[in-house]
Structure formats: structure tokens, C-alpha cells
Amino acid sequence: METVVPFDAVEPNTRLASVLDATERRAFAEAMLSDVLDTLRAVGHQPSVVTTAAVDWIERQTVDDRPLTTAVNAILADREPDHDQPVAVVMADLPLVTPATLDRLTGAERATRPADVTIAPGLGGGTNALVVRQPAFRVDYHGASCRDHERIARETGGSVRTVDSRRLATDVDEPADLAEVLLHTTNTAAREWLVDAGFRLDTTDGRVTVER
Amino acid sequence: METVVPFDAVEPNTRLASVLDATERRAFAEAMLSDVLDTLRAVGHQPSVVTTAAVDWIERQTVDDRPLTTAVNAILADREPDHDQPVAVVMADLPLVTPATLDRLTGAERATRPADVTIAPGLGGGTNALVVRQPAFRVDYHGASCRDHERIARETGGSVRTVDSRRLATDVDEPADLAEVLLHTTNTAAREWLVDAGFRLDTTDGRVTVER
């Protein structure tokens, strides 16, 4: 499956500024991106990165510095995805995603015909992953986009399936999310980066957090 | 399936104190509890509430004011759950849970033999739901309990399955979680309570939050 991974190479993970400086945020963002690309390739996806600035180590990339919604819609308009040639859009800050999670996203493990649009909501109402099998569908990433994408899919005549996955819901963009990487991943570049940077779990009270 | 729902009737949802006063927190906690009980009954569970103080409207309840871990372990020791008589433990602050989510938890939708212990991690490393089919397993809810429960299950000779569910992971105990109730539930008592109390979604930036 063709899978688009949008990446902000200019100012990634600004909501981690309280715990990581700008250089660290960029390095951590690249670590998460490499995890997502590895996992996609492990289940036979052909990922390409749509990045706001060139990143030297990425094999397949397109530089597009327009807003996320514009850049993704340009790809959808060009590809005209359908059930024979679906296009997935998977965010770059999802290091918890595993091959099994991706199979749930794409419907690979289901016997039934996939929906025209599959949506994996993020925490806070965003859309962390999409599989589009309908040429008229367009994205709108502003605000509660998981709701908007469901509406847009139906307005353009499509069926919708929502994937109930904690791993797909956990976009790592706030300090509390770092604990999820340490708790729920083992051999990821993101985890290794955090450990090297001195982060460890703090289990002293309530929700587990990180300390450095 | 026999399902235990622990409930703190004395001081529920203290981490919502910045947005709800004590009376409101209790009312909202009861609304969430009633949602969980309704959903459990809808898929044929027999829920009983283990509560720290009596709640007049609950049909099947046991009052036990000991700490959560002690109270749940007393039940497990008494029941000696196995594959014929499993015991589930489902937290009371999970209003996003649907019948389909519960079927994933119990393995009702799977053809294979269920694991001895099934764990649904919460955000922040907690354990929001368990299905125990092994008499020797005991809980320990302190700290990163989802990890501890996996370890305890293996130490007591059991197989483990982890359920990757955003709905089971979303325990509603912090202000940001209120947005998840408004985003992802429709006819729940929890949603109705929040709407009546004047909460609505705030989609102005980043993760969707609530305003009142």
C-alpha cells in the first residue's frame, strides 16, 4: 500500500519545548519518523515522506512546505485512491505503532471488504492515520478532525470505519506522551533516543510520567 | 461473565478538582459508573460494584473500604477464576467503552482460546481492565501496573494478551479526558452530565479540549 507520512522538519514537536530544546526535538522527531517508516516497511507498505524541508537520510521524500491539509490533499487529488489503489496517511509521531496495529488499520486481518475511508482517531480529536479508498475524499486536519473526516467521507458518498487502537491514538507530542514510549515500546529508535537523553519512568504517583 | 467494577464513592476523580467541585465529581463519577454498568449488561456480563461506601441506586454492590489492590485480590482469592469461570475487573471511569470494546476485551470475537490473563492498559501505565482466567493471579495497581500485571501473570504460569484499545485506555480522570467523552460518546450519562454542566468542546488549537 502507498503510504504518505507527513513530517514537519522545520519546527517539529513544539509542545515538547518544556522538556526538549529545538535540536533535541528535531532529533527525537526523526527517531520517531524512522520507527514509523520501519514498521510500515515491515508489513509491505511503500512509505513516502512529505516533508516541509529535505531530510538527508530519507529515501523517498517530497518537499512541500504548504500546510499539512493542502499538502495531503494535493496527493489525494493526484492519486485518486480507490479499493484497488488505496492511499494511507500515517503521522510521523506514532512510535507505538506495530505491524499488528497497521494490519488493523488497513483491514488486512479482516475478511470483509474494507470501508471507503478508515479513520484512526488520536487523543484530543485529531486523525493519526487514515486509509483512503475513495477518490473524492479530502482531508481537513484543523480542530476535531476525526469527526470532520467522518463527515467528509459520508458527504462524498463513502463508508467509514473507525479503528479503536491505543497505539494509533498515541501521537507523541506532549511531555506526558514520552512515558507511553518508555512503557509500550522495546526496540524503537524513539525509546533508545529517550533513554540516551536520560529519560526514565517516574512511577511515584497517579499516571506514570517521565523524569530526566 | 462475572465482572467486578471498583468504585471510589468517597473521593472520586480528585484529579478533576480544577474543573469540578466535590459534589460535581461525585455526580459525574456516578454517571460514568452507570454507563459502564449499562454497557457490561448489554453484552451479558453480570457486573457487581465493589465500592468504598454504599451507593443507593446500585443493584449489586459490596462495600469494601480497603485499598483497591486489597479489595480486588480478596475477590480473586475467593473466586479462583479459570477458563470456565473467568472474572473481569473493569474500572468505573471508562465511559467510552462500547459493547464491541468489551467483546475485544473478553475475546468473544476471537476463535482462539483466550489467554490466562488479558490486560487493557490505560494511558499512563495503569490497568483499566483485566480478564482473569487463572486462579493464582493477583493484582497490584500501584505505579506502572500494566507492566506489573504482565509480569505477575507470567510468574504465576499464565499466558498474557494485551488489548490495544483507545476506548479501554481512556480512563476519564483528568480535565483533558473530558474532551474524549464529548468527542467519542453519544448517548452516555457521562456526556449528558457534562453537557448539562455547561461543558463544550474547544477546538481552537492543538488537541481539542473543553471549556465551560
Side-chain angles (χ1 to χ4, degrees), chain B residues 13 18 23 26 45 50-52 61-62 68 120 130-131 143 174 212:
Chain B
N13 295 119
S18 63
T23 307
R26 168 69 185 258
H45 287 240
V50 181
T51 176
T52 54
Q61 61 183 299
T62 308
L68 176 62
L130 281 167
V131 182
E174 295 187 1
R212 191 181 189 180

mmCIF file with all atom_site columns, all heavy atoms in Angstrom, chain B residues 13 18 23 26 45 50-52 61-62 68 120 130-131 143 174 212:
data_model
loop_
_atom_site.group_PDB
_atom_site.id
_atom_site.type_symbol
_atom_site.label_atom_id
_atom_site.label_alt_id
_atom_site.label_comp_id
_atom_site.label_asym_id
_atom_site.label_entity_id
_atom_site.label_seq_id
_atom_site.pdbx_PDB_ins_code
_atom_site.Cartn_x
_atom_site.Cartn_y
_atom_site.Cartn_z
_atom_site.occupancy
_atom_site.B_iso_or_equiv
_atom_site.pdbx_formal_charge
_atom_site.auth_seq_id
_atom_site.auth_comp_id
_atom_site.auth_asym_id
_atom_site.auth_atom_id
_atom_site.pdbx_PDB_model_num
ATOM 1   N N   . ASN B 1 13  ? -12.304 10.823  41.507 1.00 0.00 ? 13  ASN B N   1
ATOM 2   C CA  . ASN B 1 13  ? -11.840 11.776  40.492 1.00 0.00 ? 13  ASN B CA  1
ATOM 3   C C   . ASN B 1 13  ? -11.199 13.028  41.062 1.00 0.00 ? 13  ASN B C   1
ATOM 4   O O   . ASN B 1 13  ? -11.468 14.145  40.607 1.00 0.00 ? 13  ASN B O   1
ATOM 5   C CB  . ASN B 1 13  ? -13.024 12.190  39.587 1.00 0.00 ? 13  ASN B CB  1
ATOM 6   C CG  . ASN B 1 13  ? -13.562 11.021  38.781 1.00 0.00 ? 13  ASN B CG  1
ATOM 7   O OD1 . ASN B 1 13  ? -14.723 10.653  38.920 1.00 0.00 ? 13  ASN B OD1 1
ATOM 8   N ND2 . ASN B 1 13  ? -12.732 10.429  37.950 1.00 0.00 ? 13  ASN B ND2 1
ATOM 9   N N   . SER B 1 18  ? -9.701  20.672  39.532 1.00 0.00 ? 18  SER B N   1
ATOM 10  C CA  . SER B 1 18  ? -9.522  22.008  38.956 1.00 0.00 ? 18  SER B CA  1
ATOM 11  C C   . SER B 1 18  ? -10.725 22.434  38.118 1.00 0.00 ? 18  SER B C   1
ATOM 12  O O   . SER B 1 18  ? -10.889 23.623  37.838 1.00 0.00 ? 18  SER B O   1
ATOM 13  C CB  . SER B 1 18  ? -8.256  22.054  38.104 1.00 0.00 ? 18  SER B CB  1
ATOM 14  O OG  . SER B 1 18  ? -8.367  21.160  37.014 1.00 0.00 ? 18  SER B OG  1
ATOM 15  N N   . THR B 1 23  ? -18.961 17.821  44.943 1.00 0.00 ? 23  THR B N   1
ATOM 16  C CA  . THR B 1 23  ? -20.292 17.292  44.652 1.00 0.00 ? 23  THR B CA  1
ATOM 17  C C   . THR B 1 23  ? -20.414 16.933  43.169 1.00 0.00 ? 23  THR B C   1
ATOM 18  O O   . THR B 1 23  ? -20.975 15.895  42.803 1.00 0.00 ? 23  THR B O   1
ATOM 19  C CB  . THR B 1 23  ? -21.368 18.349  45.013 1.00 0.00 ? 23  THR B CB  1
ATOM 20  O OG1 . THR B 1 23  ? -21.144 18.769  46.354 1.00 0.00 ? 23  THR B OG1 1
ATOM 21  C CG2 . THR B 1 23  ? -22.760 17.771  44.882 1.00 0.00 ? 23  THR B CG2 1
ATOM 22  N N   . ARG B 1 26  ? -18.487 13.708  42.330 1.00 0.00 ? 26  ARG B N   1
ATOM 23  C CA  . ARG B 1 26  ? -19.221 12.513  42.728 1.00 0.00 ? 26  ARG B CA  1
ATOM 24  C C   . ARG B 1 26  ? -20.346 12.210  41.731 1.00 0.00 ? 26  ARG B C   1
ATOM 25  O O   . ARG B 1 26  ? -20.532 11.063  41.307 1.00 0.00 ? 26  ARG B O   1
ATOM 26  C CB  . ARG B 1 26  ? -19.777 12.709  44.152 1.00 0.00 ? 26  ARG B CB  1
ATOM 27  C CG  . ARG B 1 26  ? -20.787 11.692  44.609 1.00 0.00 ? 26  ARG B CG  1
ATOM 28  C CD  . ARG B 1 26  ? -20.144 10.306  44.822 1.00 0.00 ? 26  ARG B CD  1
ATOM 29  N NE  . ARG B 1 26  ? -21.174 9.332   45.143 1.00 0.00 ? 26  ARG B NE  1
ATOM 30  C CZ  . ARG B 1 26  ? -21.412 8.902   46.388 1.00 0.00 ? 26  ARG B CZ  1
ATOM 31  N NH1 . ARG B 1 26  ? -20.666 9.318   47.392 1.00 0.00 ? 26  ARG B NH1 1
ATOM 32  N NH2 . ARG B 1 26  ? -22.382 8.031   46.603 1.00 0.00 ? 26  ARG B NH2 1
ATOM 33  N N   . HIS B 1 45  ? -22.667 -9.421  30.645 1.00 0.00 ? 45  HIS B N   1
ATOM 34  C CA  . HIS B 1 45  ? -21.893 -9.534  31.886 1.00 0.00 ? 45  HIS B CA  1
ATOM 35  C C   . HIS B 1 45  ? -22.825 -9.379  33.083 1.00 0.00 ? 45  HIS B C   1
ATOM 36  O O   . HIS B 1 45  ? -23.883 -8.753  32.990 1.00 0.00 ? 45  HIS B O   1
ATOM 37  C CB  . HIS B 1 45  ? -20.831 -8.430  31.967 1.00 0.00 ? 45  HIS B CB  1
ATOM 38  C CG  . HIS B 1 45  ? -19.685 -8.627  31.037 1.00 0.00 ? 45  HIS B CG  1
ATOM 39  N ND1 . HIS B 1 45  ? -18.391 -8.753  31.462 1.00 0.00 ? 45  HIS B ND1 1
ATOM 40  C CD2 . HIS B 1 45  ? -19.643 -8.721  29.689 1.00 0.00 ? 45  HIS B CD2 1
ATOM 41  C CE1 . HIS B 1 45  ? -17.593 -8.907  30.418 1.00 0.00 ? 45  HIS B CE1 1
ATOM 42  N NE2 . HIS B 1 45  ? -18.324 -8.880  29.329 1.00 0.00 ? 45  HIS B NE2 1
ATOM 43  N N   . VAL B 1 50  ? -17.708 -3.022  43.617 1.00 0.00 ? 50  VAL B N   1
ATOM 44  C CA  . VAL B 1 50  ? -17.018 -3.028  44.913 1.00 0.00 ? 50  VAL B CA  1
ATOM 45  C C   . VAL B 1 50  ? -16.759 -1.577  45.241 1.00 0.00 ? 50  VAL B C   1
ATOM 46  O O   . VAL B 1 50  ? -15.919 -0.928  44.624 1.00 0.00 ? 50  VAL B O   1
ATOM 47  C CB  . VAL B 1 50  ? -15.699 -3.808  44.841 1.00 0.00 ? 50  VAL B CB  1
ATOM 48  C CG1 . VAL B 1 50  ? -15.016 -3.806  46.207 1.00 0.00 ? 50  VAL B CG1 1
ATOM 49  C CG2 . VAL B 1 50  ? -15.958 -5.220  44.378 1.00 0.00 ? 50  VAL B CG2 1
ATOM 50  N N   . THR B 1 51  ? -17.497 -1.050  46.186 1.00 0.00 ? 51  THR B N   1
ATOM 51  C CA  . THR B 1 51  ? -17.485 0.388   46.424 1.00 0.00 ? 51  THR B CA  1
ATOM 52  C C   . THR B 1 51  ? -16.967 0.699   47.825 1.00 0.00 ? 51  THR B C   1
ATOM 53  O O   . THR B 1 51  ? -17.171 -0.090  48.755 1.00 0.00 ? 51  THR B O   1
ATOM 54  C CB  . THR B 1 51  ? -18.903 0.978   46.201 1.00 0.00 ? 51  THR B CB  1
ATOM 55  O OG1 . THR B 1 51  ? -18.891 2.359   46.538 1.00 0.00 ? 51  THR B OG1 1
ATOM 56  C CG2 . THR B 1 51  ? -19.949 0.246   47.025 1.00 0.00 ? 51  THR B CG2 1
ATOM 57  N N   . THR B 1 52  ? -16.304 1.841   47.944 1.00 0.00 ? 52  THR B N   1
ATOM 58  C CA  . THR B 1 52  ? -15.759 2.219   49.245 1.00 0.00 ? 52  THR B CA  1
ATOM 59  C C   . THR B 1 52  ? -16.842 2.713   50.212 1.00 0.00 ? 52  THR B C   1
ATOM 60  O O   . THR B 1 52  ? -16.585 2.855   51.395 1.00 0.00 ? 52  THR B O   1
ATOM 61  C CB  . THR B 1 52  ? -14.698 3.323   49.069 1.00 0.00 ? 52  THR B CB  1
ATOM 62  O OG1 . THR B 1 52  ? -15.283 4.398   48.324 1.00 0.00 ? 52  THR B OG1 1
ATOM 63  C CG2 . THR B 1 52  ? -13.484 2.797   48.321 1.00 0.00 ? 52  THR B CG2 1
ATOM 64  N N   . GLN B 1 61  ? -23.866 -4.633  44.975 1.00 0.00 ? 61  GLN B N   1
ATOM 65  C CA  . GLN B 1 61  ? -22.675 -3.947  45.461 1.00 0.00 ? 61  GLN B CA  1
ATOM 66  C C   . GLN B 1 61  ? -22.149 -4.595  46.731 1.00 0.00 ? 61  GLN B C   1
ATOM 67  O O   . GLN B 1 61  ? -22.897 -5.196  47.505 1.00 0.00 ? 61  GLN B O   1
ATOM 68  C CB  . GLN B 1 61  ? -22.954 -2.459  45.724 1.00 0.00 ? 61  GLN B CB  1
ATOM 69  C CG  . GLN B 1 61  ? -24.011 -2.185  46.767 1.00 0.00 ? 61  GLN B CG  1
ATOM 70  C CD  . GLN B 1 61  ? -24.262 -0.677  46.910 1.00 0.00 ? 61  GLN B CD  1
ATOM 71  O OE1 . GLN B 1 61  ? -23.347 0.067   47.252 1.00 0.00 ? 61  GLN B OE1 1
ATOM 72  N NE2 . GLN B 1 61  ? -25.488 -0.257  46.654 1.00 0.00 ? 61  GLN B NE2 1
ATOM 73  N N   . THR B 1 62  ? -20.838 -4.496  46.902 1.00 0.00 ? 62  THR B N   1
ATOM 74  C CA  . THR B 1 62  ? -20.176 -4.901  48.129 1.00 0.00 ? 62  THR B CA  1
ATOM 75  C C   . THR B 1 62  ? -19.412 -3.688  48.626 1.00 0.00 ? 62  THR B C   1
ATOM 76  O O   . THR B 1 62  ? -18.667 -3.083  47.849 1.00 0.00 ? 62  THR B O   1
ATOM 77  C CB  . THR B 1 62  ? -19.159 -6.030  47.857 1.00 0.00 ? 62  THR B CB  1
ATOM 78  O OG1 . THR B 1 62  ? -19.817 -7.068  47.143 1.00 0.00 ? 62  THR B OG1 1
ATOM 79  C CG2 . THR B 1 62  ? -18.581 -6.556  49.153 1.00 0.00 ? 62  THR B CG2 1
ATOM 80  N N   . LEU B 1 68  ? -7.699  -0.418  46.784 1.00 0.00 ? 68  LEU B N   1
ATOM 81  C CA  . LEU B 1 68  ? -8.153  -1.100  45.570 1.00 0.00 ? 68  LEU B CA  1
ATOM 82  C C   . LEU B 1 68  ? -7.520  -2.481  45.401 1.00 0.00 ? 68  LEU B C   1
ATOM 83  O O   . LEU B 1 68  ? -8.228  -3.477  45.168 1.00 0.00 ? 68  LEU B O   1
ATOM 84  C CB  . LEU B 1 68  ? -7.823  -0.205  44.368 1.00 0.00 ? 68  LEU B CB  1
ATOM 85  C CG  . LEU B 1 68  ? -8.121  -0.757  42.981 1.00 0.00 ? 68  LEU B CG  1
ATOM 86  C CD1 . LEU B 1 68  ? -9.610  -1.019  42.821 1.00 0.00 ? 68  LEU B CD1 1
ATOM 87  C CD2 . LEU B 1 68  ? -7.645  0.225   41.910 1.00 0.00 ? 68  LEU B CD2 1
ATOM 88  N N   . ALA B 1 120 ? -5.895  -4.671  29.574 1.00 0.00 ? 120 ALA B N   1
ATOM 89  C CA  . ALA B 1 120 ? -6.120  -3.461  28.777 1.00 0.00 ? 120 ALA B CA  1
ATOM 90  C C   . ALA B 1 120 ? -5.438  -2.300  29.485 1.00 0.00 ? 120 ALA B C   1
ATOM 91  O O   . ALA B 1 120 ? -5.940  -1.795  30.498 1.00 0.00 ? 120 ALA B O   1
ATOM 92  C CB  . ALA B 1 120 ? -7.613  -3.196  28.617 1.00 0.00 ? 120 ALA B CB  1
ATOM 93  N N   . LEU B 1 130 ? -9.119  -5.952  33.107 1.00 0.00 ? 130 LEU B N   1
ATOM 94  C CA  . LEU B 1 130 ? -8.449  -7.250  33.178 1.00 0.00 ? 130 LEU B CA  1
ATOM 95  C C   . LEU B 1 130 ? -9.495  -8.336  32.995 1.00 0.00 ? 130 LEU B C   1
ATOM 96  O O   . LEU B 1 130 ? -10.624 -8.192  33.475 1.00 0.00 ? 130 LEU B O   1
ATOM 97  C CB  . LEU B 1 130 ? -7.868  -7.484  34.569 1.00 0.00 ? 130 LEU B CB  1
ATOM 98  C CG  . LEU B 1 130 ? -6.562  -6.841  35.006 1.00 0.00 ? 130 LEU B CG  1
ATOM 99  C CD1 . LEU B 1 130 ? -6.421  -7.002  36.514 1.00 0.00 ? 130 LEU B CD1 1
ATOM 100 C CD2 . LEU B 1 130 ? -5.394  -7.478  34.285 1.00 0.00 ? 130 LEU B CD2 1
ATOM 101 N N   . VAL B 1 131 ? -9.108  -9.423  32.354 1.00 0.00 ? 131 VAL B N   1
ATOM 102 C CA  . VAL B 1 131 ? -9.904  -10.641 32.438 1.00 0.00 ? 131 VAL B CA  1
ATOM 103 C C   . VAL B 1 131 ? -8.975  -11.727 32.959 1.00 0.00 ? 131 VAL B C   1
ATOM 104 O O   . VAL B 1 131 ? -7.937  -12.007 32.353 1.00 0.00 ? 131 VAL B O   1
ATOM 105 C CB  . VAL B 1 131 ? -10.512 -11.049 31.084 1.00 0.00 ? 131 VAL B CB  1
ATOM 106 C CG1 . VAL B 1 131 ? -11.369 -12.299 31.254 1.00 0.00 ? 131 VAL B CG1 1
ATOM 107 C CG2 . VAL B 1 131 ? -11.344 -9.919  30.499 1.00 0.00 ? 131 VAL B CG2 1
ATOM 108 N N   . GLY B 1 143 ? 1.567   2.217   40.600 1.00 0.00 ? 143 GLY B N   1
ATOM 109 C CA  . GLY B 1 143 ? 2.592   2.506   39.588 1.00 0.00 ? 143 GLY B CA  1
ATOM 110 C C   . GLY B 1 143 ? 2.207   2.037   38.198 1.00 0.00 ? 143 GLY B C   1
ATOM 111 O O   . GLY B 1 143 ? 1.048   2.117   37.804 1.00 0.00 ? 143 GLY B O   1
ATOM 112 N N   . GLU B 1 174 ? -8.713  13.172  34.275 1.00 0.00 ? 174 GLU B N   1
ATOM 113 C CA  . GLU B 1 174 ? -8.034  14.462  34.191 1.00 0.00 ? 174 GLU B CA  1
ATOM 114 C C   . GLU B 1 174 ? -8.850  15.363  33.262 1.00 0.00 ? 174 GLU B C   1
ATOM 115 O O   . GLU B 1 174 ? -9.595  14.870  32.410 1.00 0.00 ? 174 GLU B O   1
ATOM 116 C CB  . GLU B 1 174 ? -6.609  14.273  33.651 1.00 0.00 ? 174 GLU B CB  1
ATOM 117 C CG  . GLU B 1 174 ? -5.751  13.452  34.610 1.00 0.00 ? 174 GLU B CG  1
ATOM 118 C CD  . GLU B 1 174 ? -4.289  13.381  34.203 1.00 0.00 ? 174 GLU B CD  1
ATOM 119 O OE1 . GLU B 1 174 ? -3.919  13.983  33.183 1.00 0.00 ? 174 GLU B OE1 1
ATOM 120 O OE2 . GLU B 1 174 ? -3.524  12.715  34.931 1.00 0.00 ? 174 GLU B OE2 1
ATOM 121 N N   . ARG B 1 212 ? -15.998 25.724  29.656 1.00 0.00 ? 212 ARG B N   1
ATOM 122 C CA  . ARG B 1 212 ? -17.260 25.690  30.399 1.00 0.00 ? 212 ARG B CA  1
ATOM 123 C C   . ARG B 1 212 ? -17.749 27.109  30.555 1.00 0.00 ? 212 ARG B C   1
ATOM 124 O O   . ARG B 1 212 ? -16.961 27.981  30.905 1.00 0.00 ? 212 ARG B O   1
ATOM 125 C CB  . ARG B 1 212 ? -17.016 25.067  31.781 1.00 0.00 ? 212 ARG B CB  1
ATOM 126 C CG  . ARG B 1 212 ? -18.292 24.742  32.532 1.00 0.00 ? 212 ARG B CG  1
ATOM 127 C CD  . ARG B 1 212 ? -17.962 24.158  33.905 1.00 0.00 ? 212 ARG B CD  1
ATOM 128 N NE  . ARG B 1 212 ? -19.150 23.642  34.553 1.00 0.00 ? 212 ARG B NE  1
ATOM 129 C CZ  . ARG B 1 212 ? -19.157 23.073  35.758 1.00 0.00 ? 212 ARG B CZ  1
ATOM 130 N NH1 . ARG B 1 212 ? -18.034 22.918  36.418 1.00 0.00 ? 212 ARG B NH1 1
ATOM 131 N NH2 . ARG B 1 212 ? -20.288 22.649  36.293 1.00 0.00 ? 212 ARG B NH2 1
#
